[in-house]
Amino acid sequence: HSLNVDRGAGIGSVTFGTGHGGQVILHVTDQVKVSGSETINGEKVNSEISASAIAGSDTEELGNAGHVTINTRSLTLTDGGAVTTSADRGKEGGNVVIKATHLLYLMAGKITTEVKGGQGNGGNITIEQPVFMVLNQSRIKADAHGGNGGNITIDSNQYLRSTESSVTASSQLGTPGEIKISAVDTNITGSIVILPNKLLIVPPWLNHSCQAGLENRSSFIVTDREGVGNAPGDLQPSGFMRTVKGTIQKPKSVE
């Protein structure tokens, strides 16, 4: 039902030569979590789900990067966690398709499809219909070098992105890719109310004790608990006392 990839672990396919990279397809019922990193031989390795094409030498022909498809209810990429495809040079970048039916949450995470050199086009990124999509200090990019940038398509009910996050489909030498975001609410700044910076002057709002009296007299009122009687151990109210011609009379007790 759930899949956790953490502490520098990874799930992926890699090609080192002319053959194309294989596909990575995950079907997870509940949630996929990719997070954290580990230092291996002095190098920081982030946790990731990936498909890569890595050149063995500068002259060697290289195949296309593979594709990554994730089907789940919730996908979270945090603390360096990533879903990536990449090609070192010259060939097509792989595509990433994410179908998270409830939540896609990135906190210092990334989704990338890159071609790092040559004339290959960047891979496409497709995110299909999560209820909530949140980017916080995170990146989604489909960049290329000499070829065209990949296309990014996001279709979400709610889409929230922090100012420190970025969505790019650029190319250093080719044509940038197209970014299309379809969401009910892509900008929440119009719903935020700026509070006044002036402090409230308190004294005018303070009620002076016993100020509102009848016939210039002060009053003190105690209300009941709206139909709930006093507990046996509570202090019980006494009967009222009245004054007739200067004499205090107590009410007659009922036998």
Side-chain angles (χ1 to χ4, degrees), residues 14-203:
V14 181
T15 178
F16 293 95
T18 57
H20 299 321
Q23 297 190 52
V24 176
I25 301 175
L26 300 178
H27 296 277
V28 182
T29 304
D30 188 18
Q31 61 182 350
V32 177
K33 295 182 178 180
V34 185
S35 64
S37 61
E38 186 74 13
T39 301
I40 301 175
N41 297 326
E43 181 180 355
K44 182 179 179 181
V45 178
N46 290 323
S47 302
E48 65 179 15
I49 299 171
S50 64
S52 305
I54 300 175
S57 67
D58 292 340
T59 59
E60 184 179 15
E61 288 292 328
L62 189 63
N64 298 332
H67 306 310
V68 174
T69 302
I70 300 175
N71 295 278
T72 187
R73 181 176 180 273
S74 174
L75 172 62
T76 62
L77 308 175
T78 59
D79 192 23
V83 175
T84 68
T85 67
S86 64
D88 277 353
R89 68 173 187 276
K91 294 295 183 179
E92 303 297 311
N95 299 327
V96 168
V97 177
I98 295 174
K99 300 177 182 179
T101 58
H102 178 65
L103 173 66
L104 175 58
Y105 177 70
L106 281 73
M107 173 63 182
K110 66 179 182 178
I111 301 171
T112 64
T113 57
E114 295 182 279
V115 177
K116 301 176 182 178
Q119 302 301 313
N121 298 322
N124 299 323
I125 297 174
T126 303
I127 297 171
E128 298 184 1
Q129 297 183 335
V131 177
F132 300 101
M133 179 173 175
V134 181
L135 301 181
N136 191 357
Q137 301 178 21
S138 299
R139 294 175 295 160
I140 296 178
K141 62 179 183 177
D143 297 343
H145 178 73
N148 299 329
N151 297 321
I152 299 176
T153 303
I154 298 172
D155 185 2
S156 175
N157 287 352
Q158 297 291 328
Y159 171 79
L160 304 178
R161 187 180 74 185
S162 69
T163 56
E164 300 88 355
S165 299
S166 62
V167 179
T168 62
S170 65
S171 176
Q172 295 184 28
L173 303 176
T175 303
E178 179 182 0
I179 298 174
K180 181 179 180 181
I181 300 175
S182 300
V184 173
D185 188 3
T186 59
N187 185 357
I188 64 171
T189 56
S191 303
I192 298 175
V193 177
I194 305 300
L195 298 177
N197 55 10
K198 294 182 180 180
L199 298 177
L200 179 66
I201 300 175
V202 177

